[in-house]
């Protein structure tokens, strides 16, 4: 929330990456259904000089707002969007993550149960960690501490 009806948003775009912006009237009646995490929107940005946040005008392209009433899909959408918004640095492009997040949110919306999308959520989290530079080789196996203790005695 920002002011009486304004809102601060974080949008993931395929070309620019994660962008924080101010949406005038974002908490108002007309924009309430648009501002649901997981919705696909068209955004028009207006920038100001200096370090001010850009203004965004949003238009709904694809709504996933109906899933908010279902506890498990709503939690999964909140988790995927929240994780993405907090983990990614701003203004760095991640086109693979953008496409994967959109596909994951579509899977959550279409699957009759969590069995249909939980593996996609795990794959998305793995991709996000990989894109951020985590992963690589598996850790070495844990040492056999009882054998090492026996050798010392």
């Amino acid at each position: 929330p920002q002011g009486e009806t304004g809102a601060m948003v974080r949008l993931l775009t395929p070309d620019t990456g994660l962008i924080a912006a101010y949406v005038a009237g974002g908490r108002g009646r007309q924009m309430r259904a648009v501002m649901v995490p997981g919705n696909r929107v068209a955004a028009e940005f207006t920038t100001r000089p200096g370090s001010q946040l850009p203004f965004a005008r949003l238009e709904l392209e694809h709504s996933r707002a109906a899933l908010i009433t279902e506890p498990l899909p709503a939690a999964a959408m909140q988790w995927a969007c929240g994780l993405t918004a907090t983990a990614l640095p701003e203004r760095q492009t991640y086109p693979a993550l953008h496409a994967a997040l959109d596909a994951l949110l579509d899977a959550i919306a279409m699957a009759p149960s969590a069995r249909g999308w939980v593996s996609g959520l795990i794959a998305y989290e793995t991709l996000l960690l990989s894109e951020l530079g985590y992963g690589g080789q598996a850790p070495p196996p844990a040492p056999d501490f009882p054998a090492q203790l026996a050798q010392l005695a």
Side-chain angles (χ1 to χ4, degrees):
Q2 185 70 24
E4 286 186 34
T5 60
M8 305 292 278
V9 297
R10 295 179 65 115
L11 304 166
L12 183 62
T13 67
D15 301 327
T16 315
L18 194 67
I19 299 175
Y22 175 79
V23 177
R27 293 185 317 144
R29 250 182 309 150
Q30 295 176 347
M31 290 295 290
R32 194 169 294 144
V34 176
M35 300 293 287
V36 174
N39 279 348
R40 188 179 317 131
V41 297
E44 181 181 316
F45 296 100
T46 306
T47 57
R48 300 238 174 170
S51 61
Q52 291 183 350
L53 285 175
F55 285 88
R57 191 175 65 80
L58 304 179
E59 189 174 312
L60 186 63
E61 284 187 348
H62 179 70
S63 178
R64 296 181 181 106
L67 293 174
I68 294 300
T69 60
E70 299 294 326
L72 196 55
M77 285 179 22
Q78 288 278 358
W79 168 250
C81 293
L83 176 66
T84 303
T86 54
L88 293 182
E90 287 196 26
R91 309 240 180 202
Q92 290 187 19
T93 60
Y94 295 97
L97 276 176
H98 182 271
L101 180 60
D102 193 41
L104 172 63
L105 295 174
D106 282 342
I108 292 170
M110 292 181 190
S113 70
R115 288 185 183 145
W117 51 260
V118 73
S119 60
L121 179 62
I122 293 167
Y124 177 74
E125 291 172 349
T126 304
L127 177 63
L128 182 116
L129 288 172
S130 174
E131 289 285 321
L132 292 174
Y134 296 98
Q137 296 179 355
D144 186 11
F145 289 113
Q148 287 179 351
L149 290 175
Q151 289 177 354
L152 293 175

mmCIF file of all heavy atoms in Angstrom, residues 25-52:
data_model
loop_
_atom_site.group_PDB
_atom_site.id
_atom_site.type_symbol
_atom_site.label_atom_id
_atom_site.label_comp_id
_atom_site.label_asym_id
_atom_site.label_seq_id
_atom_site.Cartn_x
_atom_site.Cartn_y
_atom_site.Cartn_z
ATOM 1 N N GLY A 25 -4.003 4.296 -7.794
ATOM 2 C CA GLY A 25 -5.305 3.636 -7.701
ATOM 3 C C GLY A 25 -5.207 2.130 -7.633
ATOM 4 O O GLY A 25 -6.207 1.429 -7.816
ATOM 5 N N GLY A 26 -4.046 1.604 -7.344
ATOM 6 C CA GLY A 26 -3.828 0.161 -7.320
ATOM 7 C C GLY A 26 -4.628 -0.588 -6.279
ATOM 8 O O GLY A 26 -4.882 -1.773 -6.432
ATOM 9 N N ARG A 27 -5.036 0.076 -5.219
ATOM 10 C CA ARG A 27 -5.856 -0.576 -4.196
ATOM 11 C C ARG A 27 -7.321 -0.189 -4.319
ATOM 12 O O ARG A 27 -8.131 -0.549 -3.478
ATOM 13 C CB ARG A 27 -5.339 -0.224 -2.804
ATOM 14 C CG ARG A 27 -3.974 -0.822 -2.545
ATOM 15 C CD ARG A 27 -3.482 -0.609 -1.144
ATOM 16 N NE ARG A 27 -3.722 0.739 -0.657
ATOM 17 C CZ ARG A 27 -4.034 1.038 0.589
ATOM 18 N NH1 ARG A 27 -4.130 0.091 1.485
ATOM 19 N NH2 ARG A 27 -4.216 2.282 0.955
ATOM 20 N N GLY A 28 -7.675 0.527 -5.356
ATOM 21 C CA GLY A 28 -9.054 0.950 -5.571
ATOM 22 C C GLY A 28 -9.927 -0.184 -6.089
ATOM 23 O O GLY A 28 -9.445 -1.264 -6.447
ATOM 24 N N ARG A 29 -11.214 0.064 -6.138
ATOM 25 C CA ARG A 29 -12.181 -0.941 -6.581
ATOM 26 C C ARG A 29 -11.913 -1.438 -7.999
ATOM 27 O O ARG A 29 -12.023 -2.627 -8.278
ATOM 28 C CB ARG A 29 -13.593 -0.358 -6.528
ATOM 29 C CG ARG A 29 -14.442 -0.942 -5.463
ATOM 30 C CD ARG A 29 -15.836 -0.368 -5.472
ATOM 31 N NE ARG A 29 -15.774 1.093 -5.479
ATOM 32 C CZ ARG A 29 -16.670 1.879 -6.025
ATOM 33 N NH1 ARG A 29 -17.719 1.369 -6.608
ATOM 34 N NH2 ARG A 29 -16.543 3.183 -6.000
ATOM 35 N N GLN A 30 -11.582 -0.543 -8.896
ATOM 36 C CA GLN A 30 -11.405 -0.925 -10.297
ATOM 37 C C GLN A 30 -10.152 -1.770 -10.530
ATOM 38 O O GLN A 30 -10.124 -2.608 -11.413
ATOM 39 C CB GLN A 30 -11.348 0.317 -11.178
ATOM 40 C CG GLN A 30 -12.647 1.093 -11.194
ATOM 41 C CD GLN A 30 -12.509 2.382 -12.000
ATOM 42 O OE1 GLN A 30 -11.408 2.798 -12.324
ATOM 43 N NE2 GLN A 30 -13.636 2.997 -12.304
ATOM 44 N N MET A 31 -9.128 -1.557 -9.732
ATOM 45 C CA MET A 31 -7.862 -2.262 -9.942
ATOM 46 C C MET A 31 -7.694 -3.490 -9.043
ATOM 47 O O MET A 31 -6.722 -4.238 -9.194
ATOM 48 C CB MET A 31 -6.688 -1.303 -9.699
ATOM 49 C CG MET A 31 -6.546 -0.228 -10.749
ATOM 50 S SD MET A 31 -6.136 -0.888 -12.367
ATOM 51 C CE MET A 31 -4.476 -1.418 -12.092
ATOM 52 N N ARG A 32 -8.601 -3.707 -8.125
ATOM 53 C CA ARG A 32 -8.444 -4.790 -7.155
ATOM 54 C C ARG A 32 -8.245 -6.146 -7.828
ATOM 55 O O ARG A 32 -7.392 -6.932 -7.431
ATOM 56 C CB ARG A 32 -9.655 -4.826 -6.219
ATOM 57 C CG ARG A 32 -9.427 -5.684 -5.003
ATOM 58 C CD ARG A 32 -10.510 -5.504 -3.978
ATOM 59 N NE ARG A 32 -10.451 -4.135 -3.452
ATOM 60 C CZ ARG A 32 -11.520 -3.433 -3.122
ATOM 61 N NH1 ARG A 32 -12.714 -3.951 -3.235
ATOM 62 N NH2 ARG A 32 -11.396 -2.214 -2.655
ATOM 63 N N ALA A 33 -9.023 -6.458 -8.847
ATOM 64 C CA ALA A 33 -8.894 -7.752 -9.525
ATOM 65 C C ALA A 33 -7.633 -7.840 -10.382
ATOM 66 O O ALA A 33 -7.127 -8.935 -10.632
ATOM 67 C CB ALA A 33 -10.120 -8.009 -10.389
ATOM 68 N N VAL A 34 -7.114 -6.725 -10.809
ATOM 69 C CA VAL A 34 -5.896 -6.710 -11.624
ATOM 70 C C VAL A 34 -4.663 -6.947 -10.758
ATOM 71 O O VAL A 34 -3.696 -7.564 -11.196
ATOM 72 C CB VAL A 34 -5.770 -5.365 -12.377
ATOM 73 C CG1 VAL A 34 -4.474 -5.272 -13.158
ATOM 74 C CG2 VAL A 34 -6.963 -5.157 -13.291
ATOM 75 N N MET A 35 -4.700 -6.500 -9.516
ATOM 76 C CA MET A 35 -3.527 -6.512 -8.646
ATOM 77 C C MET A 35 -3.310 -7.840 -7.914
ATOM 78 O O MET A 35 -2.563 -7.897 -6.954
ATOM 79 C CB MET A 35 -3.651 -5.376 -7.618
ATOM 80 C CG MET A 35 -3.740 -3.997 -8.246
ATOM 81 S SD MET A 35 -2.251 -3.503 -9.063
ATOM 82 C CE MET A 35 -1.233 -3.182 -7.661
ATOM 83 N N VAL A 36 -3.916 -8.911 -8.358
ATOM 84 C CA VAL A 36 -3.756 -10.227 -7.736
ATOM 85 C C VAL A 36 -2.421 -10.823 -8.187
ATOM 86 O O VAL A 36 -2.124 -10.852 -9.386
ATOM 87 C CB VAL A 36 -4.923 -11.153 -8.144
ATOM 88 C CG1 VAL A 36 -4.702 -12.568 -7.637
ATOM 89 C CG2 VAL A 36 -6.228 -10.593 -7.641
ATOM 90 N N PRO A 37 -1.591 -11.299 -7.237
ATOM 91 C CA PRO A 37 -0.331 -11.934 -7.635
ATOM 92 C C PRO A 37 -0.594 -13.112 -8.566
ATOM 93 O O PRO A 37 -1.480 -13.922 -8.331
ATOM 94 C CB PRO A 37 0.267 -12.423 -6.307
ATOM 95 C CG PRO A 37 -0.348 -11.533 -5.280
ATOM 96 C CD PRO A 37 -1.731 -11.228 -5.781
ATOM 97 N N GLY A 38 0.173 -13.179 -9.633
ATOM 98 C CA GLY A 38 0.021 -14.251 -10.598
ATOM 99 C C GLY A 38 -0.725 -13.854 -11.850
ATOM 100 O O GLY A 38 -0.690 -14.583 -12.843
ATOM 101 N N ASN A 39 -1.412 -12.722 -11.832
ATOM 102 C CA ASN A 39 -2.100 -12.266 -13.043
ATOM 103 C C ASN A 39 -1.075 -11.839 -14.085
ATOM 104 O O ASN A 39 -0.013 -11.309 -13.749
ATOM 105 C CB ASN A 39 -3.011 -11.079 -12.749
ATOM 106 C CG ASN A 39 -4.330 -11.505 -12.160
ATOM 107 O OD1 ASN A 39 -4.683 -12.671 -12.147
ATOM 108 N ND2 ASN A 39 -5.085 -10.531 -11.664
ATOM 109 N N ARG A 40 -1.406 -12.045 -15.354
ATOM 110 C CA ARG A 40 -0.563 -11.547 -16.434
ATOM 111 C C ARG A 40 -1.139 -10.206 -16.862
ATOM 112 O O ARG A 40 -2.321 -10.096 -17.170
ATOM 113 C CB ARG A 40 -0.570 -12.508 -17.616
ATOM 114 C CG ARG A 40 0.451 -12.120 -18.669
ATOM 115 C CD ARG A 40 0.492 -13.078 -19.851
ATOM 116 N NE ARG A 40 0.430 -14.468 -19.470
ATOM 117 C CZ ARG A 40 -0.416 -15.348 -20.026
ATOM 118 N NH1 ARG A 40 -1.242 -14.976 -20.968
ATOM 119 N NH2 ARG A 40 -0.419 -16.599 -19.640
ATOM 120 N N VAL A 41 -0.297 -9.182 -16.834
ATOM 121 C CA VAL A 41 -0.751 -7.830 -17.159
ATOM 122 C C VAL A 41 0.132 -7.225 -18.250
ATOM 123 O O VAL A 41 1.275 -7.621 -18.422
ATOM 124 C CB VAL A 41 -0.732 -6.903 -15.914
ATOM 125 C CG1 VAL A 41 -1.690 -7.382 -14.853
ATOM 126 C CG2 VAL A 41 0.659 -6.757 -15.349
ATOM 127 N N ALA A 42 -0.441 -6.261 -18.960
ATOM 128 C CA ALA A 42 0.338 -5.413 -19.853
ATOM 129 C C ALA A 42 0.641 -4.147 -19.062
ATOM 130 O O ALA A 42 -0.253 -3.583 -18.434
ATOM 131 C CB ALA A 42 -0.455 -5.095 -21.107
ATOM 132 N N ALA A 43 1.892 -3.743 -19.067
ATOM 133 C CA ALA A 43 2.294 -2.591 -18.274
ATOM 134 C C ALA A 43 2.883 -1.512 -19.163
ATOM 135 O O ALA A 43 3.664 -1.794 -20.071
ATOM 136 C CB ALA A 43 3.312 -2.997 -17.218
ATOM 137 N N GLU A 44 2.498 -0.282 -18.878
ATOM 138 C CA GLU A 44 3.075 0.876 -19.550
ATOM 139 C C GLU A 44 3.769 1.696 -18.468
ATOM 140 O O GLU A 44 3.137 2.112 -17.498
ATOM 141 C CB GLU A 44 1.976 1.694 -20.218
ATOM 142 C CG GLU A 44 2.486 2.905 -20.954
ATOM 143 C CD GLU A 44 1.342 3.686 -21.572
ATOM 144 O OE1 GLU A 44 0.439 3.060 -22.165
ATOM 145 O OE2 GLU A 44 1.355 4.919 -21.439
ATOM 146 N N PHE A 45 5.070 1.895 -18.622
ATOM 147 C CA PHE A 45 5.860 2.582 -17.603
ATOM 148 C C PHE A 45 6.138 4.021 -18.003
ATOM 149 O O PHE A 45 6.438 4.312 -19.157
ATOM 150 C CB PHE A 45 7.200 1.863 -17.380
ATOM 151 C CG PHE A 45 7.044 0.479 -16.837
ATOM 152 C CD1 PHE A 45 7.142 -0.622 -17.678
ATOM 153 C CD2 PHE A 45 6.801 0.272 -15.500
ATOM 154 C CE1 PHE A 45 6.995 -1.900 -17.197
ATOM 155 C CE2 PHE A 45 6.655 -1.009 -15.003
ATOM 156 C CZ PHE A 45 6.746 -2.099 -15.846
ATOM 157 N N THR A 46 6.053 4.901 -17.030
ATOM 158 C CA THR A 46 6.429 6.295 -17.187
ATOM 159 C C THR A 46 7.523 6.560 -16.169
ATOM 160 O O THR A 46 7.293 6.420 -14.963
ATOM 161 C CB THR A 46 5.234 7.226 -16.925
ATOM 162 O OG1 THR A 46 4.154 6.831 -17.759
ATOM 163 C CG2 THR A 46 5.599 8.671 -17.202
ATOM 164 N N THR A 47 8.701 6.920 -16.644
ATOM 165 C CA THR A 47 9.820 7.134 -15.729
ATOM 166 C C THR A 47 10.012 8.617 -15.458
ATOM 167 O O THR A 47 9.680 9.466 -16.276
ATOM 168 C CB THR A 47 11.120 6.546 -16.304
ATOM 169 O OG1 THR A 47 11.373 7.133 -17.566
ATOM 170 C CG2 THR A 47 11.000 5.043 -16.454
ATOM 171 N N ARG A 48 10.554 8.870 -14.322
ATOM 172 C CA ARG A 48 10.897 10.230 -13.918
ATOM 173 C C ARG A 48 12.407 10.308 -13.767
ATOM 174 O O ARG A 48 13.057 9.315 -13.477
ATOM 175 C CB ARG A 48 10.224 10.553 -12.584
ATOM 176 C CG ARG A 48 8.720 10.459 -12.648
ATOM 177 C CD ARG A 48 8.144 11.735 -12.268
ATOM 178 N NE ARG A 48 6.704 11.700 -12.459
ATOM 179 C CZ ARG A 48 5.927 12.628 -12.027
ATOM 180 N NH1 ARG A 48 6.424 13.658 -11.394
ATOM 181 N NH2 ARG A 48 4.642 12.574 -12.240
ATOM 182 N N PRO A 49 12.964 11.483 -13.917
ATOM 183 C CA PRO A 49 14.418 11.605 -13.753
ATOM 184 C C PRO A 49 14.824 11.350 -12.308
ATOM 185 O O PRO A 49 14.036 11.516 -11.384
ATOM 186 C CB PRO A 49 14.713 13.044 -14.168
ATOM 187 C CG PRO A 49 13.421 13.775 -14.050
ATOM 188 C CD PRO A 49 12.342 12.759 -14.255
ATOM 189 N N GLY A 50 16.043 10.923 -12.138
ATOM 190 C CA GLY A 50 16.542 10.668 -10.793
ATOM 191 C C GLY A 50 16.289 9.226 -10.387
ATOM 192 O O GLY A 50 16.150 8.335 -11.198
ATOM 193 N N SER A 51 16.190 9.040 -9.098
ATOM 194 C CA SER A 51 16.050 7.679 -8.589
ATOM 195 C C SER A 51 14.620 7.346 -8.176
ATOM 196 O O SER A 51 14.398 6.450 -7.382
ATOM 197 C CB SER A 51 16.988 7.492 -7.390
ATOM 198 O OG SER A 51 16.616 8.399 -6.368
ATOM 199 N N GLN A 52 13.649 8.085 -8.688
ATOM 200 C CA GLN A 52 12.263 7.807 -8.338
ATOM 201 C C GLN A 52 11.777 6.543 -9.037
ATOM 202 O O GLN A 52 12.246 6.187 -10.115
ATOM 203 C CB GLN A 52 11.359 8.973 -8.733
ATOM 204 C CG GLN A 52 11.578 10.207 -7.907
ATOM 205 C CD GLN A 52 10.594 11.295 -8.300
ATOM 206 O OE1 GLN A 52 9.892 11.190 -9.296
ATOM 207 N NE2 GLN A 52 10.553 12.353 -7.514
#
